[in-house]
Amino acid sequence: MAPKPKDKPKPSHSPSQPPPPIEDLFASLSKHIERSDFEQAAKVSDQVLRVAPGDEDAIRCKVVALIKADRIDDALLMIQSTKKVPIDFTFFKAYCLYRQNKLDEALESLKTQETNSATMLLESQILYRLGKMDACVDIYQKLQKSKIDSLEINSVAGLVSSGRASEVQGMLDALRVKATSNFELAYNTACSLIERNKYADAEQLLLSARRIGQETLMEDNLLDDDIEIELAPIAVQLAYVQQLLGHTQEAIEAYTDIINRDLADEPSLAVAVNNLIALKGPKDVSDGLRKLDRLKEKDSPNFQLAHGLNLKLSPKQREAVYANRVLLLLHANRLDQARELVAALSDMFADSVMPVLLQAAVFVRENKAVRAEEVLGQFAEKFPDKSKVVLLARAQVAAAAGHPQIAAESLAKIPDIQHMPATVATLVSLKERAGDIDGASAVLDSAIKWWSNAMTEDSKLNIIMQEAASFKLRHGHEEDAAHLYEELVKSHGNMEALVGLVTTVARVDVNKAETYEKQLKPLPGLRGVDVDSLEKTSGAKHVDGSASHAGVTEAYEEGKSKAKSKKKRKRKPRYPKGFDPANPGPPPDPERWLPKRERSSYRPKRKDKRAAQVRGSQGAVVREKQEAGTSGASSNSSNSKSNQVSTSKGTSQNAAAEPSKPSSKSSRKKSRN
């Protein structure tokens, strides 16, 4: 902002050194502003204000210079200290509040301003930051007649963020602007293609945006590192497209390269870190937590995104970062930190369902599935317009916890998916598990009725009717199953339904079954079989004598002729590696697979008879034979020997069993470690 020239110098109040003339000060101020040296411009403005306190041009120049120098807090203080000056700083105040992320206050401050292109642009930016994309796009559409530079870039960004990506091409055609007119517009248009699932086209447009950006920034004489920082959003978005195309390894390498080189702006780096963690999942939890720590506020004891990231990331992006942080904490079993972070998210994202979903995940991790079901159910009742995802989560938690009735009740509260085949199958299965067969049958009947009246090309009536007939037949409702099969045969001519109809009706009405049986195509292998004669036979009969022998002989000859007709393919025998059939060597031992004790060559070890003679301490002499009599002595001796042998066995077994105690203790210690 160029200041107006001053005609009369103001008197000086400094007795020691006379100040420079005010004309020189304003000339210096104008030079600093032209050079974009806003710090010096603010200092010169202070010098002017010391010479001429209350000068409106100097105050205005200082406020603008402080804003341009990113000293938003100082600019807001300056505005608040100049209430007595007759200058309307409401617009600048609103901008400062917007930069401080005090969006509601900024929007309220703008209401007193006269509507013009500047205020409308600032209002659109505030609405964009608040996530009110439709209102933001409406303002951009009103400004299309104004000649504002790069308005189409913001318009495309607003359309993409508001979920109206399909309108982007029409808007560009109306403005007669090509998507490749500059790299920012090409980037935003590629984002609209991603929203429309046109990933290959988005990739080509992103590559064009990177090429155009390199050429444009090189013409502006930027350094290579600065160019890479400017084009970092395009690099991250290219990696994201690779991720969506299923090229996981290429995406991981691209994200890792962006993070390691650290040549990206803060939002792009945060998105790269978040997407890399989402790709890797729980594979390396500690590394993911370390990467997220790079995004937190340094002085904060808890995890909180840095102030700059909070301002630049969209609410969806911030929510994704916090959600991934909670999931990593759950995988790392840091439940206290996860619980604390989830409690803070409910205030950060009050309009989102993510905090309650994460809270339920924490409860499930703590084995409190009932508590998770209660929390999700209460949220669904309180916010019915946001209940779809919450009810699906509640159904999943209840089904995994073995509460099929609660899971079925949750799914039944989502009307728009009620008659989809997957939902119907899940509901029927859950009600079957809960023992509610009538309820499961009612779900199938309701689905059949809905699809019968639905005017859609991709009708699922055939599938649901067939599954319903199978279900009713399985649970003993033959008449209902036969009725469904009959409708399928009449309306669709389904062969599987015809088979089911014949087998089902045969239990109720044989004549009707025979009528429909004639519509079945005969099997090629049963043409020569007389079914009626087979039904009249009473089975195999006993025939004695020559007739029996003749029948056996005839059957043998017939089998022999069939065996001759079939030529078996001769195959060469397969020998072990290194075996020569010409010199096979000695034949293998026929008992090689038998246990050693069962082989003929087995000889048990002889027992040492001298062990029975050892009694008492080592070196003692046995004198039983000398002291005992002839017959009685020999019998007593034999008895004592047998007793000694049995005692020796028992001792050795105990000795062998004793050392097992400390080994089991050591194994327990290992298991504890």
Side-chain angles (χ1 to χ4, degrees):
M1 180 183 295
K4 64 182 181 179
K6 295 295 175 180
D7 298 330
K8 296 180 180 180
K10 303 290 182 179
S12 174
H13 298 282
S14 175
S16 59
Q17 184 178 358
I22 197 167
E23 294 88 348
D24 296 343
L25 289 175
F26 271 100
S28 175
L29 181 59
S30 180
K31 289 179 181 178
H32 290 309
I33 291 172
E34 289 174 0
R35 295 173 185 171
S36 298
D37 190 357
F38 300 111
E39 288 286 352
Q40 290 297 325
K43 292 179 180 179
V44 175
S45 298
D46 284 334
Q47 293 179 9
V48 174
L49 290 173
R50 281 196 293 269
V51 175
D55 188 276
E56 295 181 10
D57 290 333
I59 293 173
R60 187 178 286 107
C61 285
K62 183 176 181 180
V63 170
V64 174
L66 290 172
I67 291 174
K68 291 284 188 179
D70 285 335
R71 293 168 58 182
I72 305 299
D73 296 338
D74 296 336
L76 198 57
L77 289 173
M78 183 68 186
I79 292 170
Q80 293 172 352
S81 65
T82 57
K83 293 181 179 179
K84 297 179 181 180
V85 180
I87 305 175
D88 186 10
F89 283 116
T90 307
F91 177 80
F92 295 105
K93 180 182 177 181
Y95 181 78
C96 291
L97 292 170
Y98 160 73
R99 290 288 302 273
Q100 289 181 336
N101 212 32
K102 297 177 181 178
L103 304 177
D104 294 324
E105 295 180 35
L107 202 59
E108 189 67 27
S109 180
L110 271 183
K111 289 182 179 179
T112 59
Q113 286 293 104
E114 182 183 353
T115 302
N116 52 42
S117 59
T119 57
M120 290 174 70
L121 275 175
L122 180 56
E123 184 181 0
S124 65
Q125 293 290 340
I126 295 170
L127 293 170
Y128 185 88
R129 189 78 65 83
L130 284 169
K132 299 177 180 179
M133 300 303 173
D134 290 328
C136 172
V137 172
D138 291 341
I139 293 175
Y140 284 137
Q141 289 177 346
K142 292 176 183 177
L143 289 170
Q144 284 182 4
K145 296 179 181 179
S146 305
K147 295 182 179 180
I148 300 174
D149 293 337
S150 304
L151 180 65
E152 65 276 1
I153 298 173
N154 292 343
S155 300
V156 172
L159 287 172
V160 173
S161 301
S162 61
R164 296 160 62 180
S166 58
E167 302 177 22
V168 169
Q169 191 57 49
M171 189 205 72
L172 293 178
D173 294 340
L175 294 174
R176 298 180 181 179
V177 178
K178 289 185 178 180
T180 54
S181 58
N182 56 69
F183 71 93
E184 294 100 334
L185 183 59
Y187 170 80
N188 286 348
T189 309
C191 293
S192 72
L193 293 173
I194 292 173
E195 291 295 318
R196 295 165 61 191
N197 300 327
K198 296 184 177 181
Y199 304 132
D201 296 341
E203 184 180 16
Q204 295 302 317
L205 192 53
L206 285 170
L207 292 172
S208 300
R210 185 170 64 181
R211 176 180 53 79
I212 296 168
Q214 287 174 344
E215 294 173 357
T216 304
L217 296 173
M218 285 177 67
E219 290 176 0
D220 294 340
N221 297 323
L222 265 70
L223 298 175
D224 292 342
D225 290 350
D226 294 335
I227 292 174
E228 192 164 352
I229 292 171
E230 287 289 331
L231 300 179
I234 300 176
V236 174
Q237 202 73 335
L238 276 169
Y240 180 60
V241 170
Q242 293 293 326
Q243 179 180 345
L244 294 175
L245 288 171
H247 305 154
T248 306
Q249 192 57 41
E250 291 86 343
I252 289 176
E253 291 175 0
Y255 288 136
T256 306
D257 182 62
I258 293 167
I259 295 167
N260 291 340
R261 297 186 67 181
D262 201 13
L263 288 175
D265 57 321
E266 289 183 352
S268 300
L269 184 63
V271 172
V273 168
N274 180 76
N275 291 359
L276 180 62
I277 290 170
L279 269 178
K280 287 187 174 181
K283 289 182 181 178
D284 196 349
V285 176
S286 58
D287 181 64
L289 289 171
R290 281 196 300 271
K291 282 184 168 61
L292 283 179
D293 285 338
R294 295 176 59 179
L295 310 179
K296 64 177 288 191
E297 191 73 36
K298 294 181 180 179
D299 299 331
S300 177
N302 302 323
F303 182 79
Q304 184 179 354
L305 284 176
H307 181 68
L309 281 176
N310 252 337
L311 298 178
K312 295 175 182 177
L313 290 179
S314 68
K316 274 189 178 180
Q317 291 171 331
R318 283 183 282 138
E319 185 181 80
V321 173
Y322 280 109
N324 281 335
R325 176 77 178 187
V326 173
L327 295 177
L328 287 178
L329 291 172
L330 290 178
H331 283 299
N333 210 24
R334 301 183 189 176
L335 299 183
D336 294 336
Q337 297 180 28
R339 200 181 302 111
E340 185 179 354
L341 186 55
V342 167
L345 292 183
S346 57
D347 295 329
M348 293 184 193
F349 309 103
D351 297 333
S352 175
V353 299
M354 186 59 69
V356 72
L357 294 176
L358 293 174
Q359 187 180 6
V362 173
F363 281 130
V364 171
R365 185 71 184 202
E366 294 174 338
N367 295 324
K368 297 178 181 178
V370 176
R371 186 76 183 101
E373 293 167 13
E374 291 176 359
V375 168
L376 293 171
Q378 291 169 1
F379 186 90
E381 291 178 1
K382 189 175 180 181
F383 303 100
D385 55 328
K386 304 175 186 176
S387 62
K388 182 176 179 179
V389 177
V390 176
L391 288 172
L392 286 172
R394 185 173 183 249
Q396 183 178 1
V397 171
H403 306 149
Q405 195 62 40
I406 296 176
E409 175 193 340
S410 300
L411 284 178
K413 292 180 179 179
I414 309 174
D416 55 341
I417 65 167
Q418 201 61 213
H419 306 295
M420 294 293 112
T423 310
V424 172
T426 307
L427 280 169
V428 170
S429 176
L430 289 170
K431 287 184 177 292
E432 265 190 308
R433 285 170 58 187
D436 187 7
I437 305 302
D438 294 337
S441 182
V443 169
L444 290 166
D445 293 341
S446 175
I448 290 171
K449 183 179 179 181
W450 191 89
W451 283 106
S452 299
N453 299 326
M455 304 297 292
T456 57
E457 296 180 1
D458 188 18
S459 178
K460 307 295 182 184
L461 182 61
N462 187 6
I463 298 171
I464 292 180
M465 286 182 69
Q466 197 157 340
E467 293 299 325
S470 176
F471 173 83
K472 291 178 183 294
L473 184 62
R474 190 166 65 248
H475 290 283
H477 303 293
E478 287 88 357
E479 293 183 1
D480 295 339
H483 178 68
L484 289 171
Y485 279 133
E486 192 171 6
E487 285 188 10
L488 278 172
V489 171
K490 290 179 179 178
S491 59
H492 298 86
N494 194 322
M495 187 57 63
E496 293 182 7
L498 182 59
V499 174
L501 176 61
V502 172
T503 56
T504 306
V505 175
R507 306 181 187 185
V508 183
D509 189 349
V510 177
N511 296 328
K512 193 174 184 180
E514 289 178 351
T515 304
Y516 280 107
E517 181 267 336
K518 294 177 182 178
Q519 300 180 22
L520 292 172
K521 295 179 181 179
L523 294 175
L526 296 178
R527 288 179 181 175
V529 178
D530 190 356
V531 180
D532 295 332
S533 63
L534 284 176
E535 288 181 349
K536 292 177 181 178
T537 58
S538 58
K541 295 182 179 180
H542 176 71
V543 182
D544 56 347
S546 61
S548 173
H549 180 70
V552 172
T553 306
E554 185 179 352
Y556 174 75
E557 292 295 334
E558 185 180 355
K560 194 174 181 182
S561 63
K562 286 183 180 180
K564 286 182 180 179
S565 63
K566 291 182 180 180
K567 292 183 180 180
K568 291 186 178 180
R569 191 169 119 194
K570 293 183 179 180
R571 296 186 179 182
K572 294 182 180 180
R574 296 180 66 183
Y575 298 110
K577 189 176 181 180
F579 178 77
D580 185 7
N583 300 312
D589 183 8
E591 298 181 351
R592 64 188 181 279
W593 301 118
L594 292 175
K596 285 187 177 181
R597 293 191 177 191
E598 297 180 12
R599 298 181 189 179
S600 58
S601 59
Y602 176 71
R603 295 291 182 273
K605 292 184 178 180
R606 296 181 62 186
K607 297 178 182 178
D608 191 1
K609 294 182 179 180
R610 292 176 297 175
Q613 299 175 3
V614 178
R615 295 182 66 184
S617 60
Q618 185 175 1
V621 179
V622 181
R623 300 179 180 274
E624 289 188 14
K625 288 185 180 181
Q626 298 177 1
E627 297 175 357
T630 55
S631 61
S634 62
S635 63
N636 291 336
S637 174
S638 63
N639 290 336
S640 64
K641 286 181 180 179
S642 64
N643 290 335
Q644 289 170 0
V645 171
S646 63
T647 306
S648 174
K649 284 183 180 178
T651 308
S652 64
Q653 285 174 0
N654 290 338
E658 196 64 24
S660 67
K661 292 180 181 178
S663 69
S664 65
K665 288 182 181 178
S666 63
S667 67
R668 275 194 223 101
K669 288 179 181 178
K670 288 180 182 177
S671 66
R672 288 196 193 105
N673 293 334

